[in-house]
C-alpha cells in the first residue's frame, strides 16, 4: 500500500508540481485548496502525512495544524509546513504549533522529498518495510508472497491488499467505508457488503484448518487484526 499524502495548498502551479513529484515517488496524493475543506477531509480520512501551506483561504494552516494536534486521532500525524515566511520567529511559531518540519518557499523538491521520506520512516516504518509480520503471518511485498507458519497462501489481488492494509495497522478497527476508501479507493463505487465478501474469502484462505482466526469482527464498527492474535502466537 502506497503512503498517502494530503497536500493542502492554494497555489495551483505548486500543487501540480507537488502532485507530480510525489506520485513519481510512488505516493498516493490528494489535494485540497482550502483550510476548512482540509479540516473536513481529515475528519473523514486520515492520510500518512500532510504537506500544509501556512496561508490558506477558509482556515489558516497554522490553525489547522493546531486543531490536528488537539485531536487524539491526528495528534501523531506527520505535518510539513510550507510557507513564504522565512524569519526565525515564524519558523519557531510553526514548530511550536505542532508541525514536524518547516520548508520555506521557494524550496528544493529533492530536499522536500527527502524530508517526507524521513518523516514517514519515523512515523510509519511499516509503510517502507519489505516484509510485514503479525503472529505467524508473513507478507513479503517484493515477492508478493504470503505465508502462515511457513505455509504459502495464495491470495487474490483484493485479499492481498486487504491483508497488507491490516498488517500496516494491527489492532486498529476499520469500518466498511474506511476499508472501501483505503483498499478499493475513493473513486470506486461499490456496495459496502462487498467488504464482507472479501473478508470472508481472506479468512477462509488464512484459516484452512483449525488455526486461530486473526481477523476480529467488531459488531457495529467493522474489522481489525485481532491484537490478541499476535500475543498468543508469541506466548
Amino acid at each position: 500500500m502506497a503512503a498517502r499524502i494530503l497536500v493542502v495548498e492554494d497555489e495551483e502551479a505548486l500543487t501540480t508540481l507537488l502532485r507530480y513529484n510525489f506520485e513519481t515517488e510512488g505516493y498516493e496524493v490528494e489535494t485540497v485548496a482550502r483550510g476548512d475543506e482540509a479540516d473536513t477531509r481529515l475528519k473523514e480520512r486520515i492520510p500518512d502525512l500532510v504537506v500544509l501551506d501556512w496561508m490558506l483561504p477558509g482556515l489558516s494552516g497554522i490553525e489547522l495544524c493546531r486543531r490536528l494536534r488537539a485531536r487524539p486521532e491526528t495528534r501523531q500525524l506527520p505535518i510539513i509546513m510550507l510557507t513564504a515566511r522565512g524569519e526565525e520567529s515564524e519558523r519557531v511559531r510553526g514548530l511550536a504549533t505542532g508541525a514536524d518540519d518547516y520548508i520555506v518557499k521557494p524550496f528544493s523538491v529533492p530536499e522536500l522529498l527527502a524530508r517526507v521520506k524521513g518523516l514517514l520512516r519515523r512515523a510509519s516504518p511499516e509503510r517502507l518495510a519489505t516484509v510485514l509480520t503479525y503472529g505467524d503471518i508473513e507478507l513479503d511485498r517484493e515477492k508478493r508472497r504470503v505465508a502462515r507458519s511457513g505455509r504459502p497462501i495464495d491470495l487474490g489481488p483484493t485479499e492481498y491488499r486487504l491483508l497488507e492494509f491490516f498488517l500496516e495497522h494491527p489492532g486498529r478497527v476499520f469500518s466498511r467505508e474506511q476499508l472501501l476508501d483505503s483498499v478499493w479507493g475513493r473513486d470506486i463505487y461499490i456496495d459496502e457488503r462487498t467488504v464482507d465478501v472479501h473478508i470472508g474469502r481472506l479468512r477462509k484462505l488464512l484459516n484452512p484448518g483449525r488455526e486461530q482466526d486473526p481477523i476480529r469482527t467488531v459488531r457495529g464498527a467493522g474489522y481489525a487484526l485481532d491484537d490478541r492474535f499476535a500475543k498468543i502466537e508469541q506466548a
Side-chain angles (χ1 to χ4, degrees):
M1 303 290 291
R4 299 178 181 86
I5 297 177
L6 175 65
V7 176
V8 189
E9 170 61 61
D10 62 335
E11 294 181 31
E12 186 175 351
L14 181 55
T15 298
T16 301
L17 175 69
L18 292 174
R19 176 188 287 278
Y20 172 79
N21 282 278
F22 286 146
E23 289 182 342
T24 298
E25 290 294 309
Y27 300 118
E28 180 182 325
V29 183
E30 188 173 3
T31 62
V32 182
R34 294 178 56 90
D36 50 355
E37 292 179 3
D39 192 27
T40 300
R41 188 72 55 83
L42 285 158
K43 292 176 182 177
E44 299 171 349
R45 187 188 191 194
I46 301 174
D48 295 292
L49 182 142
V50 175
V51 175
L52 178 62
D53 189 25
W54 181 297
M55 299 297 293
L56 291 167
L59 183 71
S60 71
I62 203 79
E63 176 59 27
L64 178 57
C65 183
R66 185 179 292 111
R67 292 186 183 186
L68 293 175
R69 289 297 179 248
R71 298 172 192 156
E73 61 271 21
T74 53
R75 189 166 294 151
Q76 303 299 321
L77 176 64
I79 298 173
I80 295 181
M81 189 79 74
L82 297 181
T83 179
R85 300 169 182 257
E87 297 84 356
E88 182 180 358
S89 61
E90 297 298 345
R91 293 198 298 271
V92 170
R93 183 184 173 197
L95 295 172
T97 303
D100 296 281
D101 208 343
Y102 191 101
I103 301 278
V104 178
K105 302 175 186 178
F107 54 84
S108 161
V109 171
E111 179 184 359
L112 174 60
L113 292 174
R115 295 196 187 190
V116 165
K117 188 172 184 179
L119 273 178
L120 287 172
R121 183 183 293 112
R122 294 195 297 272
S124 305
E126 68 280 354
R127 284 291 190 183
L128 303 176
T130 300
V131 178
L132 300 175
T133 59
Y134 195 68
D136 61 351
I137 297 174
E138 179 178 288
L139 183 148
D140 188 320
R141 284 169 156 156
E142 289 188 351
K143 298 178 181 178
R144 291 191 68 82
R145 292 178 180 173
V146 176
R148 181 166 188 183
S149 297
R151 172 178 52 83
I153 298 175
D154 186 18
L155 298 182
T158 302
E159 287 70 38
Y160 179 92
R161 294 196 304 271
L162 262 175
L163 179 60
E164 183 181 22
F165 183 73
F166 279 133
L167 289 171
E168 290 176 344
H169 309 88
R172 180 176 170 184
V173 179
F174 291 95
S175 67
R176 292 171 177 83
E177 182 180 1
Q178 288 173 320
L179 289 172
L180 283 174
D181 284 348
S182 299
V183 177
W184 279 265
R186 296 176 64 91
D187 297 328
I188 298 178
Y189 299 96
I190 55 179
D191 194 284
E192 289 187 2
R193 288 173 294 182
T194 300
V195 175
D196 299 332
V197 173
H198 286 282
I199 289 287
R201 291 177 183 172
L202 178 58
R203 277 179 160 147
K204 185 176 181 179
L205 292 166
L206 290 176
N207 315 313
R210 294 186 175 181
E211 294 97 335
Q212 181 189 357
D213 187 356
I215 300 175
R216 179 166 61 100
T217 301
V218 182
R219 186 177 299 274
Y223 300 99
L225 267 188
D226 196 336
D227 52 2
R228 296 170 298 180
F229 171 73
K231 294 176 183 177
I232 292 174
E233 292 296 330
Q234 292 170 0

